Amino acid sequence: MNYTLHQLEIFKKVAELKSVTKASEQLFMSQPAVSIQLKNFQDQFKLPLFEIVGRKLYITEFGNEIAKAATKILDEVQAINYKSNLFEGKLAGKLNLSIVSTAKYAMPYFLTDFIKENDSVDVTMDVTNKMSVIRALENNECDFAMVSTIPKKLKIERIELMSNQMFFVAGKDYKVEGKEVNIKNLNKSIFLFRENGSATRLAMERFLIKNKIEIIKKMELTSNEAVKQAVIAGLGISIMPIIGIQQALKNGELQILNIKGLPLETNWNLIWLKTKNLSNVAKAFRDYISENKNDIIDQQFPITQIT
C-alpha cells in the first residue's frame, strides 16, 4: 500500500461529513479533486470503504475502521509537528473558540495576524447561538468565547473588544414618511426575531416592551444571516447589529429606520473562565488581543459606528 497523508485526511473528512461535496468545501478543494483522491485511496483496498445508495454516500463497517485509524495517524502526525515546532522555539498547539453567530463578522479579523505569525497554531471556531456558547464555556470545551452579553452566573475574565450597535432595519422598498419613523406605526409590520437565547433577540424584545409596541405578526429565524436575507426580501423588519449588515446598507438592499432611542449599544467581549488553566497558545492569544485590539479595530472596523 502506498497511500498518502493527504488521502487519509480526505477520507477522514468524507467519512465525517458523509459527503464529497461538503468535504471539498471544508478542505478548500474542488469536488473532482476530492473524488480522484478518494478513488485512488479506495483502489488500495480489496474491501469497499463506502457505497453510494441513491444519491447518498454511506461508509461501510470496514470504512469506519479505516476512518478511525486515519484519525489516530493524523493526530500523531500533528503531535510530531507540534513537538518539532516547540523544540524550534515556535508557538504550537490548538486554540478553541466558541462565538455567537453575529461575532463571525468580527472574530476573523482578530485572528488573522495572530495565525500568520504563529502558523503552527490550529484554530477551531464554533459559530453558534448564545446558549450553546455559554454551555461550551461552562463545560470547558473552549478556551475563549466572544459574546456581547456577559453571563452573570459564571466567574469570568474578559477583554472588552468593540462597540456593538443595533438598529431597526427594513428592506429598500419599505415606505417611510418623513425623516423619523413614528415608533407607534411599527406594529403594522412583521417583526423578524432571532431564536430564544439570542442576545440580539433579548435586546429587541426589551426595546419593544419599553416602547409598548404591540406585536401583531412575527417570525423567528435561527441565524443573523437568515434574518438579514428575510429583511432584504421585504418579509419584515428587525433590530440587527450594524457589523453584519454594512455591505447590504452600502448596496442599498437595506435601510436603517430613524427611530428615537436607537441605536441600542452593547460591547463585544472576549471572555474565559477565571478557573481556566490557559495553555501557552491561549495565553499568547490573550496577550496578543490585549496588545493589538485597538489597532485591529481602527484598521478593520472604521465605519462600524453610525451616529
Side-chain angles (χ1 to χ4, degrees), residues 15-81:
E16 176 187 323
L17 299 174
K18 308 292 191 297
S19 168
V20 171
T21 301
K22 291 179 180 178
S24 65
E25 291 172 354
Q26 291 201 12
L27 293 168
F28 301 101
M29 296 173 62
S30 68
Q31 188 172 330
V34 170
S35 296
I36 289 170
Q37 291 299 322
L38 189 61
K39 181 181 183 301
N40 291 341
F41 187 60
Q42 171 65 85
D43 287 346
Q44 299 182 68
F45 299 94
K46 294 181 180 179
L47 298 174
L49 299 168
F50 59 90
E51 56 186 357
I52 306 295
V53 180
R55 292 186 176 182
K56 291 186 177 182
L57 183 147
Y58 295 88
I59 305 300
T60 63
E61 183 178 357
F62 175 65
N64 280 320
E65 291 302 315
I66 297 300
K68 291 177 184 177
T71 299
K72 292 179 181 179
I73 292 170
L74 292 169
D75 285 346
E76 287 298 321
V77 170
Q78 189 177 59
I80 291 171
N81 291 335

Side-chain angles (χ1 to χ4, degrees), residues 32-282:
V34 170
S35 296
I36 289 170
Q37 291 299 322
L38 189 61
K39 181 181 183 301
N40 291 341
F41 187 60
Q42 171 65 85
D43 287 346
Q44 299 182 68
F45 299 94
K46 294 181 180 179
L47 298 174
L49 299 168
F50 59 90
E51 56 186 357
I52 306 295
V53 180
R55 292 186 176 182
K56 291 186 177 182
L57 183 147
Y58 295 88
I59 305 300
T60 63
E61 183 178 357
F62 175 65
N64 280 320
E65 291 302 315
I66 297 300
K68 291 177 184 177
T71 299
K72 292 179 181 179
I73 292 170
L74 292 169
D75 285 346
E76 287 298 321
V77 170
Q78 189 177 59
I80 291 171
N81 291 335
Y82 285 158
K83 289 176 182 178
S84 174
N85 287 320
L86 287 171
F87 272 90
E88 292 175 17
K90 296 180 180 179
L91 187 67
K94 293 183 179 180
L95 180 67
N96 294 311
L97 306 173
S98 184
I99 68 173
V100 294
S101 60
T102 314
K104 69 184 178 183
Y105 300 108
M107 179 53 79
Y109 294 100
F110 289 97
L111 276 169
T112 301
D113 286 342
F114 178 77
I115 297 303
K116 286 180 179 178
E117 293 171 8
N118 302 284
D119 57 6
S120 296
V121 171
D122 292 324
V123 178
T124 299
M125 185 165 67
D126 183 28
V127 182
T128 183
N129 58 47
K130 177 190 169 186
M131 293 176 68
S132 296
V133 168
I134 301 306
R135 192 179 305 118
L137 204 62
E138 286 180 306
N139 295 336
N140 199 31
E141 295 170 357
C142 63
D143 297 309
F144 301 102
M146 185 173 175
V147 295
S148 59
T149 304
I150 302 297
K152 295 180 180 179
K153 295 183 180 180
L154 297 180
K155 293 182 179 180
I156 58 101
E157 300 280 359
R158 73 180 178 117
I159 299 173
E160 188 175 297
L161 297 177
M162 57 189 285
S163 172
N164 177 35
Q165 293 185 331
M166 292 174 278
F167 294 81
F168 243 121
V169 294
K172 62 182 180 180
D173 296 325
Y174 189 87
K175 302 300 180 184
V176 177
E177 296 180 5
K179 292 184 178 180
E180 187 171 294
V181 176
N182 186 340
I183 196 169
K184 300 300 180 184
N185 293 332
L186 292 181
N187 60 5
K188 300 176 183 178
S189 303
I190 297 176
F191 291 92
L192 306 178
F193 286 90
R194 286 287 307 278
E195 76 284 358
N196 279 320
S198 162
T200 303
R201 177 184 179 128
L202 181 61
M204 183 171 169
E205 287 177 334
R206 286 175 174 171
F207 180 80
L208 294 174
I209 292 171
K210 178 182 178 180
N211 289 279
K212 300 178 181 178
I213 303 300
E214 182 183 3
I215 301 173
I216 298 175
K217 296 179 181 179
K218 71 175 183 178
M219 183 179 295
E220 182 178 300
L221 297 101
T222 57
S223 75
N224 196 67
E225 191 64 26
V227 172
K228 181 175 76 174
Q229 294 303 324
V231 175
I232 289 174
L235 194 56
I237 62 175
S238 186
I239 286 181
M240 300 191 71
I242 192 70
I243 195 172
I245 60 173
Q246 291 185 92
Q247 191 60 48
L249 289 170
K250 185 177 180 180
N251 295 341
E253 298 172 306
L254 292 177
Q255 59 175 312
I256 289 177
L257 302 181
N258 186 12
I259 297 173
K260 186 177 180 180
L262 293 176
L264 304 177
E265 187 167 337
T266 59
N267 284 291
W268 289 116
N269 298 276
L270 186 74
I271 65 174
W272 64 98
L273 292 177
K274 275 189 176 182
T275 55
K276 175 73 174 178
N277 184 19
L278 295 177
S279 66
N280 288 336
V281 169

